[in-house]
Amino acid sequence: MDSSFWIVMAVVLALVVAGYAAVLLVRVFRARRLLLDAGVPLQSKALFWAAVVYTVSPVDLIPDPVYLDDVGVLLLALRALHSAAARSAADREELKG
């Protein structure tokens, strides 16, 4: 395999990761309302903000321009925030019902 194959593969991988990062960015902006919700635990909100700080921080587990660790940390924080919000909504429904 020649070097042009590896260059093409690197570009394709970079585009896939960039696309996934764009999707996560949209999810981050949609998660803003969860951060204002009083029922979501402070721990989940703090985890989310720690992930955002890690994402923009120059210190990484995997050196940039490979953003896999940044995307992974942010994805885990978003999932934790969404699950905490779902638990909070379920708890509120139990109290109403």
Side-chain angles (χ1 to χ4, degrees), residues 45-85:
K45 294 176 184 180
L47 176 66
F48 172 78
W49 284 115
V52 170
V53 168
Y54 177 80
T55 300
V56 298
S57 168
V59 178
D60 286 332
L61 293 174
I62 302 173
D64 290 335
V66 179
Y67 297 109
L68 293 177
D69 60 330
D70 298 324
V71 169
V73 167
L74 195 55
L75 179 63
L76 290 174
L78 279 170
R79 285 189 179 189
L81 183 64
H82 281 281
S83 67

Side-chain angles (χ1 to χ4, degrees), residues 34 37-45 47 76-95:
L34 297 178
D37 188 356
V40 177
L42 182 61
Q43 178 183 2
S44 297
K45 294 176 184 180
L47 176 66
L76 290 174
L78 279 170
R79 285 189 179 189
L81 183 64
H82 281 281
S83 67
R87 282 192 306 269
S88 172
D91 290 345
R92 280 185 273 181
E93 287 299 318
E94 283 183 15
L95 291 176

